Amino acid sequence: FLIIRRPPRSTQSRSSAASDVYKRQDRYSNNTNRPLEGLPICIKSNIAYTQLPCHGCTPSLANTYPKKNSEIVFKLLNLGAIIICNTNMHELAFGVTSNNPYTGFCLNPLNDKFCAGGSSGGSAALVSSGIIPLGIGTDTGGSIRIPASYCGTVGYRPTVGRWPEDYGLKMSGSRDSVGPVSYTHLRAHETGRNLVCRLLLEKKQ
């Protein structure tokens, strides 16, 4: 119950996928690789990505696909990251357990007798299990930090407005923030630094 859905295969042919892999290899060979080149990541199910439903893990929004990528997704893709899947969460981010009667309870990989925390429990659990090195969650009152502490990972809640704010389904218009969950503080720090640098550079243009 960690992964909700991965991008459908029909959106990219095998030949174009292979071409993308070769392009990434060439960038590394030529030392032109982007900061997050080829890094697999997962995103919380309330973050808008056109290849995945953005439903907040509630049945009333099932199979709702956004018309455009959120700014955080756009930035991460431009930095070279690969979005593998979206993850389970507390329904509409309104809770701290990620025990969801609709999509299933999100158990803690360290001890499945306990919950993963919430509301970004799926992202923290997936990173904690070692499947993916970096997850993206959202935080209003602890929704990144709580599951990160439960699952033995590093969760970082940026100051409101420091990271892109139009990420998708929001709980609060003034208190929500999107941020990373990683197995080490270095990965979380590097992701934040690279993303903020890219934002600052683009704002100067």
Side-chain angles (χ1 to χ4, degrees):
F1 299 118
L2 304 181
I3 299 173
I4 299 301
R5 194 170 300 185
R6 60 178 176 78
R9 291 182 179 178
S10 59
T11 61
Q12 187 178 36
S13 67
R14 291 185 178 181
S15 59
S16 63
S19 175
D20 183 60
V21 170
Y22 288 126
K23 288 178 181 178
R24 293 180 186 275
Q25 289 177 339
D26 287 341
R27 290 192 187 106
Y28 273 107
S29 299
N30 300 326
N31 292 321
T32 58
N33 54 291
R34 296 166 290 182
L36 303 181
E37 194 73 65
L39 182 73
I41 66 172
C42 61
I43 59 173
K44 192 175 179 179
S45 292
N46 62 343
I47 297 175
Y49 175 40
T50 57
Q51 302 301 309
L52 292 168
C54 181
H55 47 50
C57 288
T58 186
S60 61
L61 296 175
N63 297 317
T64 300
Y65 283 79
K67 294 181 179 179
K68 66 175 184 177
N69 290 330
S70 59
E71 189 178 357
I72 179 68
V73 166
F74 178 77
K75 303 295 184 185
L76 288 168
L77 293 176
N78 280 347
L79 287 168
I82 302 173
I83 298 175
I84 302 298
C85 62
N86 59 6
T87 56
N88 204 354
M89 58 181 283
H90 207 105
E91 188 173 6
L92 292 175
F94 199 74
V96 296
T97 65
S98 295
N99 290 343
N100 192 316
Y102 172 58
T103 54
F105 287 12
C106 189
L107 303 180
N108 194 316
L110 303 180
N111 188 331
D112 62 12
K113 294 181 180 179
F114 296 93
C115 73
S119 63
S120 306
S123 297
L126 202 59
V127 170
S128 178
S129 66
I131 297 173
I132 285 180
L134 181 70
I136 302 296
T138 63
D139 193 312
T140 305
S143 289
I144 290 175
R145 295 161 288 171
I146 292 170
S149 65
Y150 279 26
C151 296
T153 58
V154 177
Y156 170 58
R157 181 192 189 276
T159 302
V160 174
R162 187 165 176 82
W163 281 38
E165 298 181 71
D166 65 333
Y167 62 78
L169 296 175
K170 304 187 73 171
M171 175 185 261
S172 168
S174 60
R175 295 182 58 84
D176 284 5
S177 183
V178 61
V181 179
S182 176
Y183 207 75
T184 69
H185 72 281
L186 291 175
R187 179 69 72 185
H189 170 73
E190 282 300 306
T191 303
R193 185 179 66 83
N194 288 323
L195 190 62
V196 170
C197 286
R198 177 61 62 88
L199 287 169
L200 291 174
L201 287 172
E202 291 188 357
K203 286 179 180 179
K204 289 180 180 178
Q205 295 176 356

